[in-house]
Amino acid sequence: MHGTFIWHELMTPDPAAAKAFYGPLLGWEPTDMPMEGFTYTSFALPGFPSGVAGMMALTEEMKGQGIPPNWTGYIAVDDVDKTAADYQREGGVICRPPEDIPGVGRFAVVADPQGAVVCIMTPMMEDRSTGTWPTPGSTGTVGWNELMAGDWEKVWDFYAARFGWEKDMAVDMDAMGIYQTFKLGDRGIGGMMTKRPEMPMAYWGYYFIVPGIDSAVEKVKSLGGKILMGPHQVPGGSWIAACQDPQGAYFNLTSATK
């Protein structure tokens, strides 16, 4: 599993409102799990109780640190302590040191040398081939992981060395530069490009799969979200839209059909 995105998590100031937004939009069924000092919510698809994403409330301390509502990805690693140390040694930052989540795994929050934040985890979970997890590419799951880098060409080797990613198709985006897709083994899992100058920082963004882009965009609007860009078609034929939920978290939608 090393190098695979295995989980995506929403940090939000209003979990109840986020449930009311993402449930109808993506077909998710929420389950609250009381933890010590907070409640964690798992979002599942019908028939797949293991869940496809999670959510927790932004604390006052997080807000005080300037952490906005956001989606974060978790990348599986064989040894979270080693990978976190690797990040730091090669110019990245350990934002939250490795710690255990009982029965779930060991994780850390890290940032690459250009500031893009992601979580890394050595998981303790069942084999995803058992049938309790949706097939990759299923509606309601994350179908693409995208890095808007300070300079993707300079940070590429950093990620390839940490996670074993390989370059896949490169797309010339004219004035926006090259969009470099990447794969792990035979499966394409994401892309990266250099962010536009007006973007304040490098970041990871995530694309949720929907049955049709136009109907999903209308649903975002009707549920109180915003469409920031699109929908438009991208090389390969998929349709995408950049969105913001009512609490301010950025996310993307993708579909094979309009």
Side-chain angles (χ1 to χ4, degrees):
M1 294 176 69
H2 186 94
T4 302
F5 280 87
I6 55 169
W7 194 247
H8 295 83
E9 185 175 85
L10 174 65
M11 303 290 289
T12 180
D14 191 339
K19 289 180 199 176
F21 178 80
Y22 287 102
L25 178 63
L26 298 173
W28 289 348
E29 299 172 344
T31 299
D32 290 339
M33 299 181 291
M35 312 288 276
E36 188 175 344
F38 70 99
T39 296
Y40 193 86
T41 299
S42 175
F43 289 114
L45 290 170
F48 298 98
S50 295
V52 294
M55 175 180 69
M56 59 187 298
L58 273 171
T59 65
E60 292 304 318
E61 180 183 0
M62 293 173 185
K63 295 176 188 176
Q65 294 171 350
I67 298 175
N70 71 89
W71 278 98
T72 300
Y74 281 70
I75 304 173
V77 295
D78 295 333
D79 186 329
V80 71
D81 293 78
K82 178 181 181 298
T83 303
D86 243 7
Y87 254 75
Q88 191 170 57
R89 183 173 57 253
E90 298 300 323
V93 175
I94 300 174
C95 305
R96 181 168 179 167
E99 62 181 277
D100 292 324
I101 306 173
V104 176
R106 186 167 175 81
F107 86 107
V109 183
V110 291
D112 71 26
Q114 297 178 1
V117 175
V118 74
C119 294
I120 52 175
M121 173 176 273
T122 302
M124 295 169 54
M125 60 177 65
E126 70 247 50
D127 184 348
R128 290 199 172 205
S129 66
T130 59
T132 60
W133 302 88
T135 303
S138 298
T139 295
T141 66
V142 173
W144 199 247
N145 307 277
E146 184 176 80
L147 174 64
M148 286 293 178
D151 184 327
W152 82 264
E153 291 182 280
K154 289 183 178 178
V155 82
W156 167 256
D157 287 343
F158 177 89
Y159 281 102
R162 305 287 85 72
F163 302 121
W165 297 343
E166 297 177 284
K167 290 180 179 178
D168 202 357
M169 179 176 64
V171 181
D172 189 343
M173 304 287 286
D174 296 323
M176 296 176 66
I178 298 296
Y179 187 88
Q180 179 65 59
T181 68
F182 58 89
K183 61 184 179 178
L184 184 66
D186 295 331
R187 188 166 71 90
I189 56 174
M192 60 178 68
M193 67 183 299
T194 300
K195 69 179 182 66
R196 297 191 301 273
E198 65 269 21
M199 293 177 176
M201 61 184 295
Y203 67 91
W204 279 96
Y206 307 99
Y207 288 72
F208 297 98
I209 300 171
V210 292
I213 200 69
D214 285 345
S215 59
V217 161
E218 291 308 310
K219 189 166 284 189
V220 168
K221 295 175 185 176
S222 70
L223 292 167
K226 297 178 181 177
I227 304 303
L228 305 179
M229 183 181 68
H232 64 264
Q233 200 168 26
V234 295
S238 294
W239 292 84
I240 65 169
C243 312
Q244 187 178 58
D245 73 21
Q247 288 70 54
Y250 169 80
F251 67 100
N252 301 278
L253 299 175
T254 181
S255 177
T257 61
K258 195 171 191 303

